[in-house]
Structures are given as C-alpha cells and as structure tokens.
Amino acid sequence: MTRSAVSVVTEDDPTPLVLSVARTLRASARVPELLPVLRGLSGTVVVRSKDDPQAVTIRFADGESRVDHGAAADRDLVLIVDLADRFTIVEVRGSEPTAPLADAVHSVLEPPLPPWRDAATGFWEFTGSDPGMPGQLVVTCEDEQSEYVLGDGLPRYVISGPSHTLARVFTGTDTFLDAVFTGAVSIRGTLPQLSVMAGASLKVRFRA
C-alpha cells in the first residue's frame, strides 16, 4: 500500500485499456479532493467503450483498485464511456447515474487536468532521459502567449497549442500523434523526433 493508502494494481499482462484506466485512477489519487473518494470506494464496476467491445473491470475494496480486462459477471454496475474523451460517461447500467457508487466512480475516472506547465514538467521528468528524446523541449501556449522551456541541450523540439490541449497531451489523456495529425497542436522538429515523441506520449498514457 502506498503512502496515500490507495493501491492501483493491474493484471499481469494488461491490455492498453487496463493501463489507461489504471493511469487515470493513479492521477485521481494525486488529487487531494479525490483521494478520500478513491480510498472509500467499494464494489465492482465494468467500464465499457461506447464504440467497440473493449471493457475492463475495476474491483474497489479496502483502499485497493484492481483493474482487469473484460466484463465481470458479478459487477455492481456498468459504465458506458467515450474513450476518446477522458472516459466521459454516456450511460449507466445497473444503477441510477447519481447513485453513490456511480457518482464516485465518475469522479475518479475524470480527474481534473493539471495546469499545462505542470503537465509538461511531469511529461519531461518521466520521458526526458529516454533514448532519442530531444535535448530541449520548448512548449508554446498560444492562448497565454507564453513559452516554457524544459532541458538545456540540443536538439530542440517545439510544441505549440492552447493550454487545455497541451495539458491533455502531456498527461497522456490525448495521444501526441492524434493531436498532431488533427492540428490540435503544431510541432517543429524532425521525423525521427516525431516518432520518439509519439512513443513518449504512449509511455505516459499507459505507464504514468
């Protein structure tokens, strides 16, 4: 058990969705307002994608959240979520949407995003020393017209976008490649750097 008295564990060979849900629960454990909510949860909840067969089962008990792939038959409720939008719940089955368990799980599946600078710092601390990463990451926030520089070496890599989008990308909420290809963020760097940054984004999304 961690110092926060909350443990988030997964099966031995977790699927991407299991890893993503676990990462989100760990993020909630770092939010002071959500930590007691997560610690006090008890019950079995299935989280299922609204668009495809992907599903995970979360078992909450005694301060532990265990995430496994698939939909357990002994679940207390099923949450149908939009995987493209931070596990936004679109339907609740087996309980009223405002029932205590459904409401509590809803809150820990959608923790507030940190400020974009904090998100960028966390991203850099977690991935900046990985092989192939740029020596310096320059983040430009378009709506605040400000720049944040991480690292002091070469080569440089530049990412620009609005504050909310930057926070989503750097926390792994949105994948880096999707944000680039949809134009949500703009970049300045080489193609090999793009590949490395995409890998770093997935590392944060599934391992942070």
Side-chain angles (χ1 to χ4, degrees):
M1 198 70 68
T2 66
R3 62 180 177 83
S4 64
V6 167
S7 176
V8 179
V9 298
T10 67
E11 59 195 1
D12 292 336
D13 188 19
T15 65
L17 183 55
V18 167
L19 292 172
S20 187
V21 169
R23 186 260 306 165
T24 302
L25 295 176
R26 293 188 187 105
S28 289
R30 295 190 289 268
V31 178
E33 296 80 9
L34 293 179
L35 176 57
V37 176
L38 190 58
R39 183 188 294 130
L41 277 168
S42 178
T44 300
V45 178
V46 168
V47 178
R48 185 186 297 277
S49 169
K50 74 179 183 65
D51 296 314
D52 55 50
Q54 292 186 85
V56 302
T57 297
I58 314 173
R59 297 184 185 276
F60 299 102
D62 302 321
E64 180 179 279
S65 304
R66 178 175 177 84
V67 190
D68 296 286
H69 77 280
D74 62 340
R75 68 274 187 123
D76 297 300
L77 75 158
V78 178
L79 304 178
I80 311 300
V81 303
D82 184 354
L83 297 183
D85 190 20
R86 301 191 68 217
F87 299 113
T88 298
I89 297 172
V90 299
E91 183 183 349
V92 178
R93 298 176 183 171
S95 175
E96 291 297 323
T98 56
L101 179 59
D103 191 51
V105 176
H106 183 184
S107 68
V108 298
L109 284 178
E110 295 189 68
L113 291 170
W116 67 272
R117 283 183 178 83
D118 292 347
T121 299
F123 174 87
W124 187 252
E125 289 176 347
F126 195 51
T127 66
S129 61
D130 290 353
M133 286 290 285
Q136 187 177 84
L137 180 63
V138 180
V139 185
T140 302
C141 181
E142 296 171 345
D143 49 312
E144 294 182 8
Q145 297 185 338
S146 61
E147 185 177 271
Y148 187 43
V149 180
L150 295 153
D152 56 6
L154 292 174
R156 304 175 83 221
Y157 197 81
V158 181
I159 302 176
S160 303
S163 56
H164 185 70
T165 301
L166 292 172
R168 290 176 65 97
V169 169
F170 285 125
T171 56
T173 301
D174 294 342
T175 62
F176 178 70
L177 279 183
D178 285 345
V180 171
F181 290 147
T182 60
V185 299
S186 58
I187 58 173
R188 188 163 71 247
T190 66
L191 188 59
Q193 287 175 329
L194 175 65
S195 176
V196 171
M197 290 294 292
S201 171
L202 293 177
K203 178 182 177 181
V204 171
R205 182 177 180 86
F206 296 132
R207 297 295 181 184

